[in-house]
Amino acid sequence: MFCYCRLTFMPMSYFYGRKFVGPITPLIQQLREEIHLQPYKQIKWSKMRHICAKVSLIKFATNF
C-alpha cells in the first residue's frame, strides 16, 4: 500500500513545488462548469479562500 501512495504523491508534490499549470482545454472548462455553482471567471477567489471546513482553516492559519 505504501508503494502505491508513494507512486502517486511523489509526482504530485513535484508538480506542486514547480507551480505547474497545464493548458486550459475544453474538458477542463466543462469540469469547471459542472463543479462550480457560478461561472468560474466570476468567482472572487480572494473572498472564497476562507470558505472551507474548520479543520482546513486551522491548518491554513498555522502555515502562515
Side-chain angles (χ1 to χ4, degrees):
M1 181 69 175
F2 173 75
C3 181
Y4 297 121
C5 291
R6 188 173 179 191
L7 289 173
T8 302
F9 291 116
M10 285 186 69
M12 289 173 54
S13 64
Y14 172 79
F15 285 127
Y16 180 78
R18 302 287 283 172
K19 307 293 185 206
F20 177 79
V21 178
I24 305 299
T25 62
L27 176 62
I28 292 176
Q29 291 175 344
Q30 289 175 353
L31 289 172
R32 287 178 175 177
E33 289 176 11
E34 288 184 26
I35 293 172
H36 301 290
L37 298 176
Q38 61 188 25
Y40 184 81
K41 291 185 178 184
Q42 294 179 359
I43 298 173
K44 305 279 191 234
W45 291 107
S46 59
K47 293 181 180 180
M48 297 295 155
R49 66 189 286 185
H50 300 295
I51 298 177
C52 57
K54 290 182 182 181
V55 174
S56 297
L57 285 175
I58 294 169
K59 184 177 180 182
F60 178 76
T62 57
N63 288 339
F64 293 100

